[in-house]
Amino acid sequence: MTNAVADLVIANARCVATMDGARREISGGWVAITDGLISAVGVGPAPEATKTIDATDCLVTPGLINTHHHLYQNLTRAFPAMTDKPLFGWLQSLYPLWRAIDTESVYVSAWVGLAELALSGCTTSSDHLYLHPHGAGDLLTAEIEAARDLGIRFHPTRGSMSLSEKDGGLPPDDVVDDDDEILAASEAAVLRHHDRSHGAMTRVALAPCSPFSVTEDLMVRSAELAERLDVRLHTHFAENAEDDEFSLATFGCRPMEYLERTGWCTDRTWVAHCVMPNHDEIQRLGAAGVGAAHCPSSNMILSSGIAPIVDLRAAGVKVGLGVDGSSSADSGSLWLEARQAMLLAKLRDGADAGTARMALEVATLGGAGCLGREGEIGVLEVGAVGDVAVWSLVGPQFAGALADPIEAWLRCGPTGARHTVVHGEPIVADGMLVSGRLEEMLGAHAALSRKIQKLD
């Protein structure tokens, strides 16, 4: 630590959960951030800083990381036609509405969805934008602009669909493209937006939607393109029993074998859901270094099942958290997903299997692993990005929760972040978005939602 003045210090924390290699938990700790990166972490008198955030009676954690989302779907939350359906029926109920999205609706829905995430302590979010209706415009750029305007770190994926209803897929014809068009658009998106530098605010991955909406050739060629461009790969995988049945009927194999034969069983891949792997498949996923975005609320609301995250983690799979599309989970709180992950692990594998510390690891370190940024995001140590969440532990819900601030944080909620800091800049302060545009954006979102849901 030099004597230089830090840009920001978060001081007087009840506990700083660093998530570093030693999993240090520092009582009375502080975190210093300079030029967007963590310059020191310690205890005792805090260093001098241009700005100080008082974290008295607060837990300080790395910013949470969202590894799977479909931001545009918050335009159709709680839409009655889909609320009682499993995955395939849910999709077929909503595709006719989603075909109306355009750059305006994608910008607004991304801004609102990312703001919701920031209020829940999320500092980095992925998005799986696989729907590109003909004539809709450059949707990926629209959501990147929303993330930039809000100030959140963003990992959008250039998603795709190439199998429509006439080809045996689920989506309508006017939201799919042919493989060559998709690959050209994917490469262009990477060349335009992907930032490889340490502390990058925007990185792009390739993300064919799912085995039931793209050709096998597109899966193979996307993996080859990702290798050539050195970017990551993302897709839905083993989401529920319907997914398994479709794979067996269409490809003559289970989803795991399909992942292997298309060249996706690699450490540049992270998959979404991963609810249905068997014991042998779990070991193969771990050996390959594949990551998995655990989406507990979505898996429950669609009756997809409980992902075996305890076994996946034990096998070496990098398990992160995802809020998933806001038309399935309907909530975009990453804190809530961390709590749900803890509870489902207890339910599935025993009371001792699901702890708050396990869930915090999944929400931070696991997310960093999924996105290929271990040691850079999801940890409070010198040289990592200055992405921090500050959580108040006072109020009626925390009365009596004195002995363990990390367990209290997840057991005694609901809660949102008091402060959310990205690259050393607060984007949530005292529980409120720093941006003054929230009411404007909510008004625009309401009008666009009514239009897309055909309520006018």
Side-chain angles (χ1 to χ4, degrees), residues 154-442:
F154 198 37
H155 276 245
T157 67
R158 207 304 176 175
S160 55
M161 296 191 294
S162 61
L163 281 181
S164 68
E165 290 171 310
K166 67 176 174 54
D167 307 308
L170 294 179
D173 295 345
D174 58 354
V175 298
V176 305
D177 292 300
D178 71 38
D179 293 355
D180 289 339
E181 291 173 333
I182 288 166
L183 291 163
S186 297
E187 182 166 5
V190 171
L191 295 176
R192 179 176 181 184
H193 296 296
H194 188 69
D195 183 353
R196 303 179 189 281
S197 65
H198 183 83
M201 293 296 290
T202 306
R203 287 191 182 167
V204 177
L206 308 186
C209 179
S210 61
F212 50 81
S213 58
V214 301
T215 66
E216 184 167 349
D217 190 53
L218 182 61
M219 292 289 287
V220 171
R221 294 172 69 192
S222 293
E224 293 170 347
L225 180 61
E227 183 76 20
R228 178 165 66 83
L229 298 177
D230 189 24
V231 295
R232 297 188 72 74
L233 286 165
H234 185 52
T235 193
H236 295 93
F237 171 77
E239 189 165 352
N240 67 0
E242 287 179 300
D243 202 346
D244 275 5
E245 291 163 6
F246 181 92
S247 185
L248 286 166
T250 306
F251 309 119
C253 65
R254 287 176 53 77
M256 183 66 205
E257 184 181 338
Y258 186 71
L259 204 69
E260 291 169 330
R261 83 186 197 196
T262 54
W264 277 65
C265 217
T266 164
D267 62 3
R268 72 172 66 250
T269 296
W270 88 103
V271 296
H273 301 290
C274 202
V275 174
M276 293 291 180
N278 60 35
H279 174 77
D280 177 62
E281 291 166 346
I282 289 171
Q283 305 311 307
R284 285 147 64 189
L285 288 165
V290 172
H294 178 39
C295 305
S297 291
S298 173
N299 293 343
M300 286 190 288
I301 208 165
L302 292 172
S303 192
S304 294
I306 304 174
I309 68 164
V310 173
D311 294 341
L312 287 165
R313 281 164 47 86
V317 175
K318 297 168 183 178
V319 177
L321 273 186
V323 301
D324 201 15
S326 299
S327 286
S328 54
D330 278 332
S331 169
S333 166
L334 206 56
W335 176 88
L336 176 61
E337 297 309 317
R339 189 172 198 270
Q340 301 282 44
M342 177 183 74
L343 296 178
L344 284 180
K346 289 181 181 292
L347 179 64
R348 188 183 188 280
D349 295 294
D352 62 339
T355 68
R357 285 171 176 81
M358 179 278 293
L360 180 57
E361 283 196 4
V362 170
T364 54
L365 299 175
C370 283
L371 299 182
R373 300 186 75 167
E374 290 171 303
E376 186 183 4
I377 63 176
V379 63
L380 302 179
E381 62 184 4
V382 174
V385 298
D387 293 2
V388 187
V390 180
W391 311 87
S392 174
L393 300 179
V394 299
Q397 69 269 41
F398 292 104
L402 305 176
D404 188 333
I406 295 177
E407 285 287 344
W409 163 70
L410 215 51
R411 295 173 72 99
C412 301
T415 191
R418 173 176 284 183
H419 306 286
T420 303
V421 176
V422 179
H423 215 72
E425 296 292 332
I427 61 172
V428 172
D430 294 318
M432 304 288 289
L433 282 174
V434 172
S435 171
R437 300 182 64 198
L438 181 59
E439 292 306 315
E440 167 203 346
M441 298 304 287
L442 288 175

Side-chain angles (χ1 to χ4, degrees), residues 94-110:
L94 290 168
Y95 276 138
L97 305 184
W98 294 339
R99 69 207 307 178
I101 64 172
D102 56 16
T103 53
E104 180 187 16
S105 56
V106 164
Y107 176 90
V108 171
S109 59

Side-chain angles (χ1 to χ4, degrees), residues 16-46:
V16 175
T18 65
M19 306 311 294
D20 65 10
R23 301 295 188 271
R24 287 184 302 156
E25 298 172 8
I26 306 173
S27 297
W30 49 262
V31 178
I33 302 171
T34 305
D35 295 329
L37 304 178
I38 295 174
S39 49
V41 180
V43 66

